[in-house]
Amino acid sequence: MSDTTWKRTKYAAEIDEDDYNTEMTLCGWIQSTKNLGKMAFIHIRDRSGLAQVTALSKTMGPELFKEITSIPRESAISVRGVIKQSPQARAGWEMIPYYVKVMGEAKTPLPLGVVDKVDADMDTRLDNRFLDLRKPEKQAIFKIRSTILSATRDVLLEEDFLETHTPKIVAAATEGGTALFKMEYFDRPAYLNQSPQLFKQTMMATGLDRVFEIGPAFRAEEHDTVRHLNEYTSIDVEMAWSDDEDTMEILEKVIQRAYTDVINNNFMCLEALKRTLTVPERPFPRITYGEIIERLQEKKLKIRDEGSGKMRTIQWGDDIPTEGARIIAKERPSLYFITEWPVDLKPFYIQPKDGEFRVSKGFDLNYGEKELVSGGQRVHDPKLLKEMFKRKGLNEEDFHFYSKAFDYGMPPHAGWGLGVERLTMIISGVSNVREVVLFPRDKHRLVP
Ligand code: AMO
């Protein structure tokens, strides 16, 4: 038999009435085998769904029948046979096989059940990700993730953004000095980049005007939570001759398209995840940081004072603690912007709104209590940038490679960074960030 005989003719879900009584090859993994003696039902799973193969001792001969019924579960096989209409089969058809070829036999016992009703624990699943991802509801998450990424690219390219890539091996911190992974770069120390921030801003001095990047970001954070990773994928946008409002509008368009495309293209995935989605309307609701603090004061939220160590009522200037974010999320369970953050709570590159360095042009986009995006209008005046370095206690010399772009004609600009994993979690409705990364990197996981 030629090698092409063993190549897939069609995926299970593509087979319809036109294929009845035709000879075909199905390729996939054996999900289950029910042997009734002279007849056996074998369920073969491929990317699209399940196929029922009804093996008959009479048509195959007893030897081949024995062979097909004793292949271990989860082995990768090719089966050649005829497609027959069958009202009893779930798809309305079954394959009556003639031949079978085992392409990859599965060892027994399996380290992880693929069709078990109860999920194995997260570590076992991640250690055996190749098996875990044979489950349709786990594959669904990655199909949705892929749609989110292509939707993002579509919108940004339509809006005249240029896709760029910036280095991940860098000499200085972007977002603060503590969360850096150090590495050796020949005879010098170097770091894995936390964000393309400084590079995407430098691009604003080039005349390219609108850039975006989808790439890895590394954070040496100690957090061991369901929403932090030490390596995540960031969608970064930067646009010149623009302000915070302009960039928020682009962000709304990206999120809206991600929802729309997932609803239109991933219907089966949403079903597998038991998820219903509605496209969020633009403009997304906005609330100022000040309004949040007032609301938390009404709710009498107390925090520990960093100076005295005593409990006190939350006040303007304090970061919003997890407990506070939860209180707000009860009233706002979906998407909303938080604007007008204090200058002191935002990084040096965020533009102050006034001359007093009190309120900034930085924003966050939240989904309930989860932060999904941060961004803002940037400082573009070199004098102000120097002032911001000073205020934040940063050494200007360390940033010279970046700040010199401001000395030769830097236009006003704005942008944001969105965590792909956080958006995928929200759209898929899963609660642990590890579900949406193939091979997550957290404090305990470096393999696989
Ligand atoms: P920030 O540090 O707030 O801002 O990050 C932006 C977004 O990236 C995602 N994110 C993470 N996701 C998973 N694990 C992590 N450890 C993690 N850290 C961040 C979140 C977050 O909202 N340079 C700015 C962006 C900008 O202003 O353009 C920045 O990186 O979704």
Side-chain angles (χ1 to χ4, degrees):
M1 219 169 289
S2 78
D3 279 350
T4 51
T5 309
W6 302 115
K7 287 207 172 142
R8 171 182 293 119
T9 320
K10 280 187 175 181
Y11 278 109
E14 291 167 350
I15 293 174
D16 58 23
E17 293 103 69
D18 294 343
D19 301 309
Y20 293 169
N21 304 315
T22 335
E23 197 174 294
M24 288 201 163
T25 303
L26 288 171
C27 299
W29 289 264
I30 296 187
Q31 179 157 304
S32 62
T33 301
K34 198 166 159 198
N35 189 350
L36 305 174
K38 301 254 174 257
M39 185 191 218
F41 297 111
I42 302 161
H43 282 119
I44 297 188
R45 187 186 59 246
D46 66 22
R47 191 170 86 164
S48 73
L50 278 185
Q52 181 180 304
V53 172
T54 308
L56 304 169
S57 175
K58 196 170 60 187
T59 19
M60 299 188 93
E63 240 165 74
L64 206 52
F65 181 81
K66 189 159 177 235
E67 191 186 320
I68 197 169
T69 50
S70 40
I71 305 169
R73 261 192 323 155
E74 295 304 327
S75 298
I77 65 162
S78 284
V79 208
R80 185 95 189 149
V82 163
I83 304 296
K84 290 278 179 200
Q85 185 170 16
S86 162
Q88 293 92 325
R90 209 187 299 168
W93 57 265
E94 62 190 348
M95 172 182 268
I96 308 293
Y98 302 152
Y99 322 106
V100 60
K101 186 163 176 169
V102 179
M103 299 297 188
E105 186 171 308
K107 283 212 258 179
T108 49
L110 297 167
L112 182 73
V114 173
V115 282
D116 296 358
K117 286 271 176 301
V118 184
D119 247 348
D121 64 86
M122 186 63 87
D123 277 332
T124 310
R125 288 180 45 210
L126 294 175
D127 288 342
N128 299 285
R129 204 48 156 155
F130 57 95
L131 274 178
D132 184 50
L133 285 176
R134 289 189 191 176
K135 301 172 198 161
E137 73 279 14
K138 307 296 179 217
Q139 284 191 1
I141 295 170
F142 291 91
K143 292 177 184 171
I144 287 173
R145 184 179 161 127
S146 175
T147 303
I148 291 172
L149 289 170
S150 60
T152 301
R153 281 204 172 86
D154 287 350
V155 174
L156 293 175
L157 294 173
E158 279 165 26
E159 295 281 343
D160 268 341
F161 282 80
L162 184 80
E163 181 157 10
T164 55
H165 290 96
T166 62
K168 302 304 153 209
I169 304 174
V170 295
T174 316
E175 303 291 333
T178 53
L180 279 169
F181 284 114
K182 199 169 176 181
M183 58 171 282
E184 276 171 36
Y185 191 70
F186 304 105
D187 54 352
R188 278 176 286 174
Y191 305 94
L192 291 177
N193 206 4
Q194 299 163 300
S195 153
Q197 185 67 35
L198 307 183
F199 296 104
K200 66 178 181 173
Q201 277 194 265
T202 305
M203 285 300 98
M204 298 301 97
T206 62
L208 286 170
D209 278 4
R210 293 182 155 213
V211 298
F212 78 98
E213 173 167 2
I214 302 178
F218 304 91
R219 304 270 168 115
E221 288 159 352
E222 298 277 333
H223 305 292
D224 193 7
T225 76
V226 290
R227 49 177 191 259
H228 289 93
L229 292 162
N230 295 112
E231 177 178 351
Y232 71 95
T233 307
S234 182
I235 300 174
D236 273 274
V237 154
E238 204 63 28
M239 48 206 283
W241 313 102
S242 302
D243 61 16
D244 43 349
E245 285 294 331
D246 299 321
T247 206
M248 285 157 88
E249 192 184 324
I250 293 287
L251 174 57
E252 288 171 335
K253 287 185 183 171
V254 165
I255 306 251
Q256 215 180 33
R257 182 77 65 88
Y259 272 77
T260 309
D261 285 5
V262 169
I263 291 170
N264 291 340
N265 305 332
N266 299 114
F267 170 74
M268 301 275 280
C269 298
L270 291 173
E271 210 174 61
L273 291 163
K274 302 185 177 59
R275 182 102 180 118
T276 40
L277 286 183
T278 38
V279 181
E281 272 174 41
R282 284 196 290 131
F284 299 169
R286 277 140 217 246
I287 178 169
T288 65
Y289 162 87
E291 285 165 340
I292 287 192
I293 295 298
E294 275 170 28
R295 187 78 192 109
L296 296 178
Q297 286 169 341
E298 279 165 30
K299 291 272 176 185
K300 312 230 175 321
L301 180 73
K302 297 233 180 316
I303 60 161
R304 194 168 294 283
D305 188 85
E306 273 184 26
S308 68
K310 294 210 178 95
M311 295 302 281
R312 61 160 171 84
T313 306
I314 193 163
Q315 34 178 276
W316 201 95
D318 290 328
D319 210 346
I320 301 169
T322 315
E323 177 56 19
R326 263 186 217 135
I327 293 172
I328 302 299
K330 280 210 185 104
E331 294 163 13
R332 295 172 176 272
S334 187
L335 291 160
Y336 61 97
F337 280 111
I338 308 175
T339 58
E340 299 192 9
W341 284 82
V343 169
D344 288 345
L345 290 183
K346 285 286 167 192
F348 70 87
Y349 49 78
I350 294 288
Q351 173 89 22
K353 205 167 182 160
D354 46 35
E356 292 158 33
F357 296 94
R358 190 175 138 84
V359 178
S360 77
K361 289 196 162 203
F363 62 81
D364 281 1
L365 177 68
N366 269 39
Y367 182 91
E369 62 182 279
K370 292 189 198 84
E371 180 203 306
L372 177 60
V373 182
S374 354
Q377 186 170 332
R378 320 301 192 183
V379 172
H380 73 277
D381 171 35
K383 279 204 265 6
L384 181 57
L385 187 63
K386 278 195 176 60
E387 172 81 33
M388 291 302 283
F389 283 139
K390 226 183 275 156
R391 284 184 68 90
K392 298 279 177 185
L394 296 167
N395 184 359
E396 202 193 316
E397 290 305 303
D398 295 342
F399 293 89
H400 184 64
F401 74 98
Y402 156 82
S403 60
K404 74 177 175 194
F406 291 68
D407 291 332
Y408 299 92
M410 177 62 94
H413 59 280
W416 44 261
L418 181 165
V420 172
E421 289 77 13
R422 302 249 175 112
L423 183 56
T424 310
M425 283 170 80
I426 289 165
I427 292 189
S428 311
V430 299
S431 55
N432 190 334
V433 69
R434 289 160 188 79
E435 296 279 3
V436 307
V437 192
L438 292 176
F439 302 105
R441 290 290 171 262
D442 62 22
K443 220 179 151 194
H444 309 285
R445 289 213 147 257
L446 191 55
V447 178

